[in-house]
Amino acid sequence: MAMEMEPADVIRLIMQYLKENNLYRTLTTLQEETTVSLNTVESIDSFIADIKSGHWDSVLLAIESLKLPDNTLIDLYEQVVMELIEMREVGAARSLLRQTDPMIMLKQTQPERYIHLENLLTCSYFDPREAYLKGSSKEKRRRAIAEALVREVSVVPPSRLMGLLEQVGSMRQQQFPGHLSPDMAIDTCGNKERHDEKESAPTQLYRHIKVWKIQSGLCLRRFEHAHNKGVTCLSFSKDSNHILSASFDQTIRIHELRSGKTLKELNGHSSFVNDASFTQDGFHIISASSDGSVKIWKTKNCECIHTFKSLSRTSEVPVNNVIPLPQNPEHFVVCNHSNSVVIINMHGQTVKTFSSDRKEGTDFVCCTLSPRGEWIYCVGEDLVLYCFNYTSGRLEKTLTVHEKDVIGIAHHPHENLIATYSEDGLLRLWKP
């Protein structure tokens, strides 16, 4: 199967990648050298709404990398200057009027229109009747600018370059099925493929991270090589500026959302890291691993200050989850591969224990908490959801949630809603 693309389309794919990763200087240089432009915005509706509402900071940021007609840019900047004058933001208006390219161009090509803005700037009051021409108004000008800008932009799906590369890789796999992936080996005796029997991370899990905007469904940020092996969990810092990730590569990493860079790496676990999260104050990180340990780290210098092991009767039982208690920052819920979930404090002491009281085939695989920590929900190998009351310690309810092995569970941050997802390919929502 052949895939043909115009050279300009290839350049646009590269430009989109640069824009999505905030590489604006490289993007601008590429546009200047090739004369190809990438006029895309995240959402046409949001773009229009920002213009009509006068959210000019968002609009100017959105058009920063766009190639627009001179007249359209002049109209836009002229309107921004007039509205800044109206709000008595005279300093900002003066800077835009005298230092931006569209306004300098206006001065050279339409001096009377430019002088009109200078007069508004020096006037001690703002009168819309004097500012706008007869029959015009702020709202009409905004609508006209929105119509002009919308004609110049379009919306495209996010991460098209990476998606295309993945598609090409998949096609190559289909074309050359004899080529082996790195986790496979050849049995020279039987002349057949075989997988290594040693413990390894599932190869279908991706090593990169994507951050999505819920309202628009657009990809805001992509961390290409977040880890060397599959990512097991993600969590945001309290200020939403950083993302914490853990992986089958036995590490925990802190990524900065704005720059898209990996800032820190925490090493110390000897097996897969299954869960990690910031404490409520952001000063510490707690992690759970298949090596049977829970670790507490200092966020500032990545130093491990506590390691707790033997949380169950059997040593080195994998720990699936560790979750800070909302009502007590010093306590954590620890779910390991057993039929019990425990609450421990910062010193590793067990405060409470919750048990399913069932024996075989009921070991917990994952757990989550209600937003206020009043309920603990655990899913067992028997595909049953166990609901514990934190205060009384009692098992209040059980419910079979899937037909195949459950992968994970999550609670909505504000609503009384639980999501479970499974190897049966289903994500199910439950109302407790």
Side-chain angles (χ1 to χ4, degrees), residues 70-80 113 141 145:
D70 292 340
N71 288 339
T72 303
L73 283 173
I74 287 172
D75 290 344
L76 170 62
Y77 275 79
E78 180 185 36
Q79 185 61 29
V80 175
R113 194 170 162 189
R141 287 275 308 223
I145 291 168

Side-chain angles (χ1 to χ4, degrees), residues 396-407:
E396 296 288 349
K397 193 173 183 180
T398 60
L399 174 71
T400 300
V401 288
H402 285 277
E403 288 71 49
K404 291 187 178 180
D405 290 348
V406 177
I407 300 171

